[in-house]
Amino acid sequence: MAGTPANAKGFSALAIVMDLKDYFSFTAIALTFIGFAPYIRGIHRGTVHAHVFSWVIWGITTIIVFFAQLDADGGRGAWPIGVSGTITLYIALLAYQRRGDTKITRSDWLFFCAALSSLPIWYISADPVFAVIVLTTVDLLGFAPTLRKAYHQPYAESLTFFGLFALRNGLVVLALASYSLTTLLFPVAVGIACLFLIILVLFRRRFLRLNAAPSNDLPN
């Protein structure tokens, strides 16, 4: 009987941790909807013309990562990734229905084939970690055009959008039921990519402002 209070405290602490993970997961899901809402609204209004094939690729990578995280006992921390993948595929469907940008480049096909290659890799290796490495690499390579655009046109990118998803991925990590390379790699890598883009945009905006300001050293 003497050990009962300690055990009770242990179970109570565990329950609090589990409740916090639920909170982190549901908050991450809410941020996912909030982050995507303006983009989806823009497609419906005709002000945004999404690239169909790009969103198909991102949807496939995210959904496969979601199932890989579940397989690795990611638990509730995987739910926001699954929601994000579903919304991404919905955007791809909207883009197709509204005749968005359908031009497909060689790099698009390369990313698409690389994303699909993760499935046989997973099947042959019987370990989802290799599939997650491939998918995370594909997703990060997909950031390249956005980073290039952010460098040249820093005012054309939304800091709020990328800030929300950086925060979302941080909450995903906190909500994970178990930590491994399989469960952590994708949300951590994408979160860091979002933070890097934010820093790049802020740096470039400051640089452009300073260079646009009149110099005090010019003769009167």
Side-chain angles (χ1 to χ4, degrees):
M1 296 294 293
T4 301
N7 289 338
K9 289 180 180 179
F11 284 124
S12 177
L14 179 61
I16 291 173
V17 172
M18 299 298 283
D19 288 342
L20 278 175
K21 286 188 177 292
D22 284 335
Y23 171 78
F24 291 142
S25 180
F26 290 132
T27 304
I29 291 172
L31 289 177
T32 301
F33 280 107
I34 293 170
F36 276 122
Y39 197 89
I40 294 174
R41 187 163 56 245
I43 294 176
H44 281 292
R45 291 176 176 175
T47 57
V48 173
H49 303 281
H51 189 284
V52 179
F53 208 63
S54 292
W55 285 94
V56 168
I57 294 169
W58 291 331
I60 290 173
T61 58
T62 309
I63 287 293
I64 297 176
V65 167
F66 164 64
F67 284 112
Q69 288 183 324
L70 289 181
D71 188 66
D73 299 321
R76 59 183 61 79
W79 299 346
I81 301 299
V83 171
S84 183
T86 303
I87 295 175
T88 302
L89 290 176
Y90 172 67
I91 290 175
L93 177 62
L94 276 181
Y96 174 75
Q97 290 176 338
R98 305 217 169 225
R99 296 299 182 267
D101 186 355
T102 57
K103 181 181 179 182
I104 302 175
T105 65
R106 289 183 179 178
S107 61
D108 291 332
W109 280 114
L110 179 62
F111 291 158
F112 181 73
C113 292
L116 291 183
S117 73
S118 65
L119 291 174
I121 289 173
W122 184 355
Y123 179 78
I124 293 170
S125 66
D127 188 344
V129 67
F130 299 107
V132 171
I133 291 172
V134 171
L135 294 167
T136 303
T137 302
V138 170
D139 215 75
L140 291 179
L141 288 174
F143 259 88
T146 302
L147 288 172
R148 186 167 56 248
K149 177 187 173 187
Y151 182 86
H152 293 291
Q153 303 176 47
Y155 289 98
E157 293 297 339
S158 170
L159 292 179
T160 301
F161 178 83
F162 288 102
L164 282 173
F165 278 91
L167 177 59
R168 191 284 303 268
N169 282 8
L171 292 172
V172 166
V173 170
L174 293 174
L176 288 169
S178 67
Y179 295 104
S180 66
L181 185 60
T182 302
T183 59
L184 284 171
L185 181 60
F186 186 81
V188 169
V190 174
I192 290 174
C194 289
L195 288 175
F196 179 78
L197 188 139
I198 291 170
I199 293 170
L200 174 66
V201 167
L202 290 174
F203 172 80
R204 286 293 294 165
R205 286 182 181 181
R206 184 173 183 275
F207 177 82
L208 292 176
R209 280 198 305 270
L210 291 176
N211 280 271
S215 174
N216 295 326
D217 296 331
L218 292 176
N220 293 327

